[in-house]
Amino acid sequence: MAVTTFAAIDIGSYEVSMKIFELSKKIGFREINDVRYRLELGKGAYSSGTLDMDTVDAICEILGDFKRMMAEFGVAEYRACATSAFRELKNPIIVIEQIFQRTGIRVEILSNAEQHFLGYKSIAAIENGFKKMIQKGTAILDVGGGSLQVSLFDKDALVTTQSLKMGSVRIRERLRELEKTNTHYEQLVEEFIRNDLMSFQRLYLKDRDIKNVILMGDFLTDTIFREERQDNIVTNKEFEKRYENTVYKSTQALAEEMDIDPEYATLIVPTMVICKNFIDLFHAESLWMPGVSLLDGIAYDFGEKKKFIKSVHNFENDILVASKNIAKRYSTGKSHIQGTTDLALAIFDSMKKVHGMKARERLLLQIAVQLHDCGKYISMGDVAECSYRIIMATEIIGLSTEERQIIASAVRYNTAEFVYYDKFEGETGVDKSRYLLIAKLAAILRLANAMDRSHYQKVKGLKAVLKDRELSLVVDSDQDISLELGLLKDKVEFFEEVFGIRLVLRRKRKM
């Protein structure tokens, strides 16, 4: 049985941690080591956007220790991720390069959407409990140092996911001075988060019935809820009781009671207040605290990609559902989107030998189709630019910032004049590989979208056949498609330019 040893590293807002796992097709993955160092990155990052030299030195020293441990455990591969504190830095690329030069460890900065998608995967790793719970209305609360991610599920489908800037470290830093002169710190926190809480309720809850709440991460299970529980599930009343016994105590009392560092204890009240207010907002009946962290999600994701793990949950579908809900929010035409998606995917699938794109790029194309008309919500006269800005301003769970930019650019050049590389690079900083991907996705999107120009879904079927350097598209329609065929010329020219093949359109039957 082949076993791979893998290390997951998280450079977070208040600690730097590493877990080492063993992975194989027989066992899936199991943790064999867990080490953490307390390090307050959030203080400088959230207030000034910088890390002082001592902090960078401390990160490098910790990662040096991790590297030695990885060698001792025979780690074959690793993934080191930084999260919200690094996203807030003014000079993250410089800091990451310093870390690499001094430790040899390459750190990637996760976008908020990537971070919480991996966290969500860590819960899904406990497949039985997760699958059962999300059959009913369920909310996942992921309280980080810099932000809170709220994801809503209904009948096994991801309904929406939103990020709010109310992380425990961020709140503590903003309210630190006020706390000194106020005897009811928990009320300060409640008032501080109230506006975001009410906005979330108004925009995303409406008639949703949330029965269960999953509390992400291991902070609460390492502090307030340390004692063993059979399934890590508590009732609303049990949480309320623990809340009353916690938030009115001083930081020093909490630190002594839990045998933790006082600075670490300062995060307890903000975390508990955030959780309680959302639990009350949902009127949730039960709370599940699986005690997993981002590190478990990183390992699970690695195991999936290396085929050690086959998940019963369709994560790709979650990304698509989230995209569909974004499209719905901007009142895009459902029938047109479905028809254009079918056409775009038929073209994509017929050209695999030519375009060299894989499953991930196919997913990006689907999302681009979903969102290509969203800008009409803002301006009918500047759809391309408005669509681009909406997509760039909207986090889509599971996508990196770079992937979101690829989608936004493909959507922009669906109707806008395509910009060639010398100008494109100066405007956006996109490298050549991403530029070429944008061109390919835009060419397919343009062609598919034009074939439903009237939004009547006249094309009932499309057979795409690639032979040598010629792609034949046989269109099946029993309606007049003069408009669609007449407006395809410029789309065909751009398509042929991008892929270097000849495109031939034929009609299966006439009216």
Side-chain angles (χ1 to χ4, degrees), residues 320-341 366-380 383 386-387 390-391 411 414 449 452 455 457:
L320 283 174
V321 171
S323 302
K324 287 177 182 178
N325 283 311
I326 294 167
K328 183 179 179 181
R329 189 188 314 160
Y330 292 103
S331 304
T332 54
K334 187 176 180 181
S335 297
H336 169 64
I337 291 215
Q338 186 57 57
T340 306
T341 298
Q366 287 177 272
I367 297 170
V369 176
Q370 289 290 330
L371 301 176
H372 77 275
D373 266 351
C374 64
K376 289 180 179 177
Y377 187 87
I378 297 174
S379 170
M380 296 288 288
V383 179
C386 290
S387 296
I390 285 173
I391 296 167
V411 167
N414 171 48
N449 188 41
D452 190 30
H455 286 219
Q457 293 79 57

Side-chain angles (χ1 to χ4, degrees), residues 15 115 138 315 341 346 351 390 428 472-473 510:
E15 69 179 14
Q115 175 187 343
T138 300
F315 293 104
T341 298
M351 297 175 57
I390 285 173
T428 64
S472 297
L473 297 181
K510 299 179 180 179

Side-chain angles (χ1 to χ4, degrees), residues 58-165:
I59 294 172
C60 291
E61 186 176 342
I62 292 168
L63 293 181
D65 287 344
F66 286 176
K67 193 171 183 179
R68 286 187 286 275
M69 290 180 203
M70 286 192 282
E72 290 172 6
F73 279 88
V75 169
E77 296 190 59
Y78 75 90
R79 186 178 181 185
C81 300
T83 54
S84 61
F86 267 66
R87 290 196 296 269
E88 301 271 333
L89 294 181
K90 298 173 183 176
N91 62 340
I93 295 175
I94 293 174
V95 175
I96 283 176
E97 181 60 22
Q98 286 183 21
I99 291 171
F100 177 69
Q101 292 298 332
R102 294 170 62 180
T103 68
I105 292 178
R106 181 65 73 187
V107 176
E108 63 176 295
I109 302 175
L110 297 176
S111 71
N112 188 68
E114 288 177 298
Q115 175 187 343
H116 292 291
F117 191 61
L118 288 171
Y120 156 45
K121 279 193 172 186
S122 74
I123 304 173
I126 311 171
E127 291 182 337
N128 292 333
F130 177 72
K131 194 76 176 174
K132 181 180 179 181
M133 187 160 278
I134 63 174
Q135 296 306 312
K136 295 181 180 180
T138 300
I140 297 178
L141 297 183
D142 188 356
V143 184
S147 64
L148 162 73
Q149 191 79 14
V150 188
S151 302
L152 304 182
F153 286 82
D154 190 19
K155 296 178 182 177
D156 198 27
L158 179 64
V159 177
T160 189
T161 180
Q162 296 295 321
S163 177
L164 296 82
K165 285 197 171 183

Side-chain angles (χ1 to χ4, degrees), residues 13 104 139 144 158 166 171 321 382 392 421 500:
S13 300
L158 179 64
M166 55 168 74
I171 290 174
V321 171
D382 195 11
M392 288 305 295
Y421 186 67

Side-chain angles (χ1 to χ4, degrees), residues 200-218:
F200 179 85
Q201 180 184 33
R202 184 178 67 255
L203 293 171
Y204 302 107
L205 280 187
K206 297 181 180 177
D207 298 325
R208 299 209 177 277
D209 186 20
I210 304 297
K211 296 290 186 183
N212 308 308
V213 172
I214 302 174
L215 299 180
M216 255 296 294
D218 50 16

Side-chain angles (χ1 to χ4, degrees), residues 18-21 30-35 69 73 295:
M18 178 179 71
K19 285 185 179 182
I20 297 177
F21 300 85
R30 68 183 182 92
E31 178 188 322
I32 59 174
N33 192 46
D34 181 2
V35 59
M69 290 180 203
F73 279 88
L295 297 172

